[in-house]
């Protein structure tokens, strides 16, 4: 998982987690850089876990957003790209991710 690499001092400076799965509190505790957390209605909310990252020195660069109308995988193979609202949200995720890396990798 990307967030685990963020805690391993292997050169990863920040991570974007789009409709993630299999995350644990320890992943957030060990994170050594900003995290972009974008969850769907099928994913755990992870608010308490994300608060751990927000409390770290780089926390102001971390951001969380939830898509309560979207299924897990909506930005990938499971996304219904014939639905304009899904396309709108996918485009938002792309913009958020690009902006996040632009700021977190300065």
């Amino acid at each position: 998982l990307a967030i685990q690499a963020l805690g391993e001092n292997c050169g990863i400076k920040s991570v974007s987690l789009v409709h993630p799965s299999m995350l644990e509190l320890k992943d957030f505790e060990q994170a050594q850089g900003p995290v972009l957390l974008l969850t769907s209605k099928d994913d755990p909310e992870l608010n308490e876990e994300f608060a751990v990252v927000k409390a770290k020195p780089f926390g102001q660069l971390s951001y969380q957003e939830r898509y309560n109308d979207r299924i897990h995988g909506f930005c990938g193979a499971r996304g219904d790209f014939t639905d304009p609202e899904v396309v709108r949200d996918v485009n938002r995720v792309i913009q958020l991710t690009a902006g996040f890396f632009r700021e977190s990798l300065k």
Side-chain angles (χ1 to χ4, degrees):
L1 293 171
I3 196 167
Q4 291 172 341
L6 187 59
E8 293 177 357
N9 197 20
C10 65
I12 304 292
K13 303 292 184 198
S14 59
V15 296
S16 174
L17 306 172
V18 181
H19 39 70
S21 60
M22 301 187 304
L23 297 176
E24 299 177 7
L25 177 59
K26 70 178 181 174
D27 298 323
F28 292 87
E29 292 170 341
Q30 295 173 356
Q32 297 300 311
V35 174
L36 175 63
L37 180 63
L38 306 172
T39 56
S40 73
K41 68 179 181 179
D42 301 322
D43 304 319
E45 290 200 20
L46 301 169
N47 293 328
E48 292 177 23
E49 292 84 347
F50 191 72
V52 171
V53 171
K54 288 295 283 185
K56 294 186 177 207
F58 50 80
Q60 76 282 0
L61 294 173
S62 296
Y63 181 73
Q64 177 183 25
E65 191 164 286
R66 186 160 182 87
Y67 294 84
N68 285 316
D69 296 333
R70 300 290 158 249
I71 61 169
H72 177 85
F74 77 95
C75 286
R78 296 185 67 207
D80 178 2
F81 293 95
T82 64
D83 182 336
E85 291 183 2
V86 170
V87 171
R88 178 201 64 211
D89 289 346
V90 168
N91 285 329
R92 174 154 174 79
V93 166
I94 292 168
Q95 292 302 313
L96 283 171
T97 301
F100 169 73
F101 284 124
R102 187 173 36 254
E103 293 301 314
S104 66
L105 297 176
K106 281 185 177 179

